[in-house]
């Protein structure tokens, strides 16, 4: 399923001059707001070194800006620029149909059961604890 979805998303993103790693970072920043490169890597389930390269490529493209954390000089904080928000809008417009088609015929309850099953598989593959899933489990909303 992941391979098929990735192939389809790559095809759709190519039409708007975007790739999957860029899309992930844009979406994470929209969801989380200003984030450290480390937090982006955790949310993207990626390596820190790879995420750092992606972020700095995106900075060169004008999609994100970076600054040193005010509380820890070792940490790089990343935020969307206006160009990044515009790119994300184009990506959302392009991917909306694929997303809708992917979940056609699934009720909200079925989607929740699917997500719960995937969380269990993710934890099993990840060796147990994971900061994002742990945070979701403790969030009552």
């Amino acid at each position: 399923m992941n391979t098929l979805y990735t192939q389809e998303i790559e095809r759709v993103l190519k039409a708007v001059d975007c790739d999957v790693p860029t899309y992930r970072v844009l979406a994470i920043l929209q969801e989380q707001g200003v984030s450290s490169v480390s937090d982006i890597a955790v949310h993207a389930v990626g390596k820190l070194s790879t995420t750092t390269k992606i972020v700095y490529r995106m900075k060169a493209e004008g999609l994100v800006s970076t600054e040193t954390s005010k509380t820890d000089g070792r940490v790089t904080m990343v935020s969307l620029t206006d160009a990044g928000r515009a790119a994300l809008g184009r990506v959302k417009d392009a991917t909306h149909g694929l997303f809708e088609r992917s979940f056609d015929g699934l009720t909200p309850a079925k989607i929740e059961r699917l997500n719960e099953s995937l969380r269990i598989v993710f934890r099993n593959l990840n060796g147990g604890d994971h900061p994002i899933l742990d945070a979701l489990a403790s969030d009552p909303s």
Side-chain angles (χ1 to χ4, degrees):
M1 298 311 299
N2 181 55
T3 302
L4 181 58
Y5 186 79
T6 300
Q7 287 173 343
E8 285 299 300
I9 201 84
E10 285 173 342
R11 183 185 58 75
V12 170
L13 290 174
K14 187 175 183 180
V16 291
D17 195 31
C18 191
D19 58 31
V20 172
T22 300
Y23 172 52
R24 282 188 183 130
V25 173
L26 291 171
I28 289 165
L29 288 171
Q30 181 198 30
E31 178 73 24
Q32 301 297 315
V34 177
S35 298
S36 70
V37 175
S38 314
D39 284 345
I40 294 169
V42 168
H43 281 81
V45 191
K47 294 180 181 178
L48 180 58
S49 60
T50 303
T51 303
T52 300
K53 289 175 189 170
I54 294 163
V55 165
Y56 279 95
R57 176 181 48 81
M58 292 174 67
K59 181 179 179 180
E61 294 170 357
L63 301 174
V64 298
S65 62
T66 62
E67 67 178 336
T68 302
S69 168
K70 291 171 180 38
T71 58
D72 186 342
R74 301 167 297 174
V75 175
T76 300
M77 302 303 294
V78 185
S79 57
L80 285 174
T81 62
D82 289 341
R85 282 186 280 282
L88 184 59
R90 289 189 301 275
V91 165
K92 283 184 166 185
D93 289 345
T95 59
H96 180 74
L98 174 61
F99 182 82
E100 292 294 317
R101 189 174 84 233
S102 297
F103 293 95
D104 188 39
L106 291 174
T107 65
K110 286 181 180 179
I111 291 171
E112 183 53 40
R113 281 195 303 274
L114 173 63
N115 284 337
E116 181 56 31
S117 296
L118 291 172
R119 279 190 285 275
I120 292 167
V121 172
F122 183 89
R123 278 190 187 280
N124 292 343
L125 290 173
N126 196 54
D129 298 334
H130 190 272
I132 298 168
L133 296 179
D134 295 342
L136 288 173
S138 65
D139 183 6
S141 57

